[in-house]
């Protein structure tokens, strides 16, 4: 227990320590100032622009920026879909996997371009090495980079005055990849490999079992095929880009994907690092780092509160476990609590911390099965997703989502101090309100309506493994996860059916691109506005009062929109479990 | 007008009765559609009414009386919202009625040529065209807005301003504008018509205070968007609960009759939707205009009121706003070899016949300090020399004495012409006076300069504190004056303004406004003269004085009927109050939802999952009573908050952070707690009355 808390404190301290240096570095990158790596990578960057015929000085208005972003993602979809359908004819396929079925390929392609990484497939039994590396891993990089690009464009919207342009998408994309994602991935991949994460192009080896197993039909199994592959390189970006799509089906619970407590620590750190540091970048670019710290503080506070609930609920276990005679007491030899669906090498706290981190951000990698959590413990990851993936959130997308909440907050709070609202010196008027309202509305709409369609149709009902409220939770989690581009599954939902593959893909597309378009529209509108200087009558957006308000707005919107649904899922499940 | 309006109590029967009737007239869907939140409630009311009919026929989803109860209160929610708006309009209309009395259909004496002696023709005022010329004589009402082109007359404008003292209107200059419906008391005026019937100042005023022509302000539109979005969120939440409930019932292997009813979902939706602010939103806007007219200010658009809340730079004319209109003598400074008494005596003699306020103040000072009584200048046989633009002096000739008082350079010329000089001490003293913001008057008797009178601008009492308040609110005050920079600086320091513009010309004023606006500031100013018009047109909030010219009034977006420049401070306050009331009620409305969930969720789903009764923390009697109580609370709270919407939330100048903390505590935390208590009380009452 104490060790668990020390782990969490250590983890958060390391994150907060790294926020400033990395945030500063990213500011240099996006402001196109010397950042150190430009001496080495500058020529590469210029070569890329020449090769692609991009003029980096060519600024774009928000509409052109949006079109460029969408076109780029559409192209990514086509390449990825083609790779999966054609993998049988392509090289680097030692296991000779056939073409991926069309509905699954559609779902997977959408899933990876939207930075969701919802996986209706098992990687080691479906995807060739080529598909994994050239298709999935590439999208892991570029989907993250396009999220960061949109964020940077939004920040420019706040910073620029009377400007018609918000930057150049190709430049933002290239710089995100070249200076941030690729170097960091390299470091993390090497560190992970040092911990035993596998990295090979060889076919799957077989091992002789020490203890042969006799199956139900009487056959004896003496050999095990061990899935391997170029894993470490892909896992690094899976976490850094808050993608979450595991190389193996078991994701970060797999011993070759996440072998040691240190690799676990590194993987969690990699998830949260960039989203956290981008807050600092935001403040720095906006000319007032306090603005960034205020946003980060709001995220950290919500994160800690929900993490505490999750840890508490998992450590406490269930009355059923107690009555079955399980020892739930934490000791030096066992972590106690509800260990169902958790890896013994991670225990309660590192599983709960991983679950909170991966769902607070839109990563979706898992090192334990959320389905097997206690009702309240499992509600934490689900609700974190439903809050709109803004507690750190996806790389780029988390912060621009949080800024939409901040716009909403200043609107209400601004009125209460008797001024028409403004944020960072920009007036928030009906256009911004229209877009920000849609941003808040959209994920709620997609998640709830998606779930409603699933529970009301035979095809949808067939997916849930468990009866009662738990089955409902499984479906609700699925649509929440897809809409908010998290990609983790509660588990217990057999989602590889045309129904789920297509409906979830729609949720992912809507949740990602409509959201992005709306945010870019806000960016364009803000950039064109003049600057309103702050005075004593201006609402401060960097003090503790604002932090409290922002937290309240995020929580209240999340609670008001999802409490009825949660009441029919985890809440009633919990009440039934404790015998009420 | 103001006294009538202020005299009306909040719930005066004369306003309440038509408002009740109006609440029903406003039920038309087309009117409701303009307010998305209330439109949803209206649809819900109709839907539940139909469900009630269905239940009466024996095919209902729930007991008919329960559905009727819900339906009944949903209708009331809509009616209460209409009532709030009607009340706000009623208060405006009371003011408009008193204005309208002035707008009788008058008969005008139309002149064939713009000369008093040309031929007359009697025409109805409503038939007058722009550019026509009319004659108005003593006792006549001025038929329509116009500009005096000939004559001087005293005019009773009380019908418009509420001020009973007549004002002078004359051709040319800044007092040439006349308003239709006012009455000429003496003499006559020839007026050129500047506005046609239906578009006169009075017409526009009536339309504005009545709220008839009211357009939604930009901030109101933005808020409506947010409220509509919230309503859609709750619509989705409630609509999806139907399949969720169906699935839950299916999973629990229960009868389909246990699926949540449409009635309950509609009730939940109405409770969750921000109906409180939705119902009161337009009332708040109308009441803001109405409060402004109670302050005797007529805004030409709601937008201006809103901008007033945002203003962060105030340009204030020194005279009349910061200082009393007149300078007063505060000190005598004698030259060497001259006794104070002699100086005071000479000064008093020079001022006895001087009827200007400055002159009178010199007499008073002499009397106060040296006990010199006022003497009758006639009896002394003295000859009064009035002030003239050429000599820039005034004084008396008495026996052989030639006493004069005036500006330093004027007196210097006078003294020199008689062979004298101005002593250094006198010159130094007048420089000191000027440096301290005063105006020095030198007194001379023939060739001898006797000393200096210190005329001081008297800064209005309490004005420094008000500027302090403004500074804490983040509003910068800039004093505009024609004085030289030295004098201006001294007065600015004394009054506590943040900045000043000295030796101001209309061009400099306009330039200053543009400069502030270029830096993103919102600027408010007052003005009355035609030369103020460009600056007024440029300023974000421009208050024209009613005594001012037509051009000034056209350029401004508000008119102050009292012509009191200090009013600007009240206008800013009303603007802020209007915005704050919106914010406070939005917060309150959203915070209310928490309690409503605790009331309705267990009630709606406990049939399927009895465990959910644990969430019934208010221990409400039955599911039906819980839902009904929440709906009743939701309706009644609107009525309870009407006074707040009409009066506006209390506002005291303080920094934004403090203000936010205070309002958040009252309306946020209060909004969380109040419904728990309210719903519980209503539930208890329902049980006691055996209604459930």
């Amino acid at each position: 227990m104490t060790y668990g808390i020390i782990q969490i404190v250590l983890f958060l301290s390391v994150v907060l320590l790294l926020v400033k240096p990395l945030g500063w570095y990213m500011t240099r990158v996006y402001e196109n100032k010397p950042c150190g790596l430009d001496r080495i990578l500058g020529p590469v960057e210029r070569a890329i622009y020449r090769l692609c015929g991009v003029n980096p000085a060519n600024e774009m208005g928000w509409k052109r920026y949006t079109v460029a972003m969408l076109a780029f993602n559409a192209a990514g979809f086509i390449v990825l879909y083609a790779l999966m359908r054609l993998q049988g004819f392509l090289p680097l396929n030692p296991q000779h996997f056939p073409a991926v079925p069309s509905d699954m390929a559609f779902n997977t392609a959408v899933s990876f371009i939207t930075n969701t990484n919802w996986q209706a497939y098992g990687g080691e039994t479906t995807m060739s090495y080529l598909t994994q590396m050239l298709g999935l891993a590439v999208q892991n990089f570029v989907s993250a980079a396009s999220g960061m690009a949109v964020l940077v464009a939004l920040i420019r919207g706040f910073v620029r005055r009377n400007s018609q342009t918000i930057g150049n998408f190709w430049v933002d994309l290239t710089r995100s990849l070249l200076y941030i994602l690729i170097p960091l991935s390299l470091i993390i991949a090497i560190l992970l490999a040092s911990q035993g994460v596998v990295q090979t192009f060889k076919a799957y080896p077989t091992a002789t079992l020490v203890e042969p197993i006799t199956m139900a039909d009487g056959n004896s199994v003496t050999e095990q095929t061990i899935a391997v592959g170029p894993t470490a390189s892909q896992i690094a970006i899976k976490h850094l880009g808050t993608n979450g799509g595991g190389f193996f089906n078991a994701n970060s619970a797999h011993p070759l994907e996440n072998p040691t407590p240190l690799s676990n620590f590194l993987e969690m750190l990699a998830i949260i690092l960039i989203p956290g540091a981008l807050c600092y970048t935001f403040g720095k670019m906006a000319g007032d780092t306090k603005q960034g710290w205020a946003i980060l503080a709001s995220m950290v506070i919500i994160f800690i509160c929900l993490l505490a609930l999750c840890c508490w609920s998992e450590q406490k276990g269930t009355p059923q476990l107690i009555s079955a005679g399980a020892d739930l007491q934490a000791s030096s030899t066992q972590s106690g609590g509800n260990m169902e669906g958790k890896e013994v090498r991670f225990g309660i706290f590192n599983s709960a911390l991983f679950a909170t981190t991966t769902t607070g951000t839109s990563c979706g990698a898992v090192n334990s099965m959320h389905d097997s959590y206690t009702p309240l413990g499992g509600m934490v990851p689900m609700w974190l997703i439903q809050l709109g993936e803004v507690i750190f959130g996806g790389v780029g997308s988390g912060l621009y989502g949080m800024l939409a909440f901040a716009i909403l907050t200043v609107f209400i709070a601004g009125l209460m101090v008797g001024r028409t609202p403004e944020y960072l010196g920009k007036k928030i008027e009906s256009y911004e309100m229209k877009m920000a309202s849609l941003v808040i509305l959209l994920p709620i709409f997609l998640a709830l309506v998606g779930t409603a369609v699933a529970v009301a149709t035979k095809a949808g009902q067939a997916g849930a493994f468990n009866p009662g409220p738990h089955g409902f939770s499984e479906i609700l989690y699925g649509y929440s996860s897809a809409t908010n581009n998290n990609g983790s599954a509660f588990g217990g939902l057999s989602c590889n059916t045309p129904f789920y593959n297509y409906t979830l893909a729609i949720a992912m597309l809507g949740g990602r691109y409509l959201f992005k378009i709306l945010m870019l529209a806000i960016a364009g509108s803000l950039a064109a506005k003049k600057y309103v200087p702050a005075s004593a009558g201006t609402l401060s957006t960097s003090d503790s009062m604002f932090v409290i308000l922002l937290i309240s707005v995020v929580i209240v919107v999340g609670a008001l929109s999802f409490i009825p649904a949660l009441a029919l899922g985890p809440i009633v499940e919990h009440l039934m479990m404790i015998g009420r | 007008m103001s006294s009538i309006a202020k005299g009306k109590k909040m719930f005066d029967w004369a306003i309440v009765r038509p408002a009740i009737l109006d609440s029903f007239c406003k039920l038309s869907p087309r009117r409701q559609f303009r307010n998305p939140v209330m439109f949803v409630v209206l649809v819900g009311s109709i839907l539940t009414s139909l469900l009630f009919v269905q239940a009466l026929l024996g095919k209902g989803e729930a007991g008919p009386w329960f559905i009727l109860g819900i339906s009944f209160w949903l209708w009331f929610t809509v009616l209460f919202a209409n009532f709030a708006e009607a009340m706000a309009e009623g208060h405006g209309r009371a003011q408009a009625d008193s204005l309208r009395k002035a707008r009788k259909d008058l008969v005008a004496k139309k002149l064939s040529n713009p000369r008093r002696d040309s031929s007359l023709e009697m025409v109805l005022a409503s038939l007058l065209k722009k550019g026509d010329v009319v004659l108005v004589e003593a006792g006549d009402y001025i038929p329509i807005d116009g500009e005096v082109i000939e004559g001087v007359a005293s005019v009773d404008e009380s019908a418009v301003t509420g001020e009973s003292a007549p004002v002078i209107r004359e051709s040319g200059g800044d007092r040439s504008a006349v308003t239709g419906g006012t009455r000429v008391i003496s003499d006559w005026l020839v007026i050129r018509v500047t506005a046609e019937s239906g578009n006169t100042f009075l017409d526009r005023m009536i339309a504005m205070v009545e709220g008839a022509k009211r357009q939604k302000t930009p901030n109101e539109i933005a808020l409506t968007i947010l409220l509509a979005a919230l309503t859609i969120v709750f619509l989705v939440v409630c609509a999806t609960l139907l399949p969720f409930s169906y699935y839950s019932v299916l999973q629990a292997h229960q009868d389909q009759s246990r699926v949540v009813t449409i009635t309950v979902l509609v009730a939940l939706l109405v409770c969750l939707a921000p109906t409180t602010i939705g119902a009161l939103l337009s009332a708040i806007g109308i009441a803001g205009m109405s409060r402004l007219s109670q302050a005797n200010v007529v805004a030409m658009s709601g937008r201006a009121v809103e901008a007033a809340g945002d203003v962060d730079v105030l340009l204030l004319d020194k005279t009349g706003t910061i200082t009393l209109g007149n300078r007063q003598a505060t000190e005598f400074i004698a030259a060497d070899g001259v006794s104070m008494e002699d100086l005071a005596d000479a000064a008093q003699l020079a001022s006895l016949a001087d009827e200007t306020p400055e002159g009178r103040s010199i007499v008073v000072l002499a009397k106060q300090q040296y006990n010199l009584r006022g003497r009758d200048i006639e009896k002394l046989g003295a000859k009064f020399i009035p002030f003239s633009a050429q000599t820039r002096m005034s004084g008396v000739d008495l026996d052989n004495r030639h006493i004069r008082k005036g500006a330093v350079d004027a007196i210097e010329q006078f003294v020199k012409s008689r062979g004298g000089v101005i002593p250094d001490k006198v010159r130094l003293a007048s420089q000191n006076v000027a440096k301290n913001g005063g105006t020095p008057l030198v007194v001379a008797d023939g060739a001898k300069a006797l000393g200096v009178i210190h005329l001081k601008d008297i800064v209005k009492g309490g004005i420094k504190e008000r500027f302090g308040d403004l500074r804490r609110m983040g509003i910068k005050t800039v004093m505009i004056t024609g004085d030289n920079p030295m004098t201006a600086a001294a007065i600015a320091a004394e009054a506590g303004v943040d900045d000043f513009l000295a030796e101001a010309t209309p061009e400099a004023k306009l330039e200053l406004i543009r400069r502030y606006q270029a830096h993103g500031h919102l600027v408010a100013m007052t003005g009355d003269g035609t030369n103020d018009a460009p600056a007024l047109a440029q300023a974000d909030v421009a208050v024209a004085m009613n005594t001012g010219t037509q051009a000034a009034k056209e350029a401004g977006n508000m008119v102050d009927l009292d012509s009191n420049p200090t009013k600007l401070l009240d206008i800013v306050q009303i603007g802020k109050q209007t915005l704050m009331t919106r914010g406070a009620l939005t917060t309150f409305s959203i915070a209310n939802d928490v309690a409503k969930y605790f009331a309705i969720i267990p009630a709606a789903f406990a049939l399927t999952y009895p465990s959910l009764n644990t969430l019934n923390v208010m221990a409400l009697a039955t599911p039906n009573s819980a839902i009904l109580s929440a709906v009743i609370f939701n309706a009644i709270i609107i009525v309870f908050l009407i006074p707040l919407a009409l009066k506006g939330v209390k506002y005291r100048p303080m920094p934004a952070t403090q203000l936010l903390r205070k309002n958040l505590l009252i309306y946020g935390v209060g909004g969380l707690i109040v419904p728990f208590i309210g719903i519980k009380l209503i539930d208890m009452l329902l049980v006691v009355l055996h209604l459930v």
Side-chain angles (χ1 to χ4, degrees), chain A residues 408 415-420 437 441 445 467-468 531 533 535-539 543 545 549 560-561 564 572 575-576 580, chain B residues 219 226 229 233 236-237 244 251 309-310 473-474 519-521 576 579-580 583 587 597 609 611 614 656-657 660 663-664:
Chain A
L408 201 65
L415 284 183
M416 275 201 288
V417 301
R419 283 178 59 118
T420 60
S437 295
L441 176 65
F445 179 88
Y531 174 78
S535 73
T538 313
L539 173 84
D543 61 359
M545 196 69 207
L549 261 172
L560 291 184
S561 36
V572 72
L575 293 172
M576 285 159 89
R580 289 293 179 98
Chain B
N219 173 261
L226 174 65
V233 167
V236 173
V237 168
F244 293 175
Q251 291 289 306
D310 276 352
M473 284 154 63
H519 286 98
H521 295 282
K576 285 198 180 292
L579 292 172
M580 275 166 54
T587 311
Y597 266 137
Y609 296 126
S611 301
T614 316
T657 311
L660 180 62
N663 284 332
L664 212 56

Side-chain angles (χ1 to χ4, degrees), chain A residues 269-288:
Chain A
L269 185 66
I271 293 174
I272 212 164
L273 192 57
I274 297 179
L278 280 172
C279 294
Y280 185 85
T281 306
F282 161 68
K284 188 85 185 159
M285 285 177 79
D288 180 6

Side-chain angles (χ1 to χ4, degrees), chain A residues 225-281:
Chain A
T225 306
I226 298 170
V228 293
T231 310
S233 57
Q234 197 164 329
I235 297 314
I237 187 63
K238 161 194 151 196
H239 290 259
L240 278 170
T242 60
N243 294 289
F247 193 88
F248 304 114
N249 196 22
N251 211 306
S252 284
H254 196 287
L256 294 183
E257 194 159 325
N258 186 8
T260 67
L262 183 59
S263 70
N264 193 57
F265 187 91
L266 283 170
E267 288 187 7
M268 290 192 295
L269 185 66
I271 293 174
I272 212 164
L273 192 57
I274 297 179
L278 280 172
C279 294
Y280 185 85
T281 306

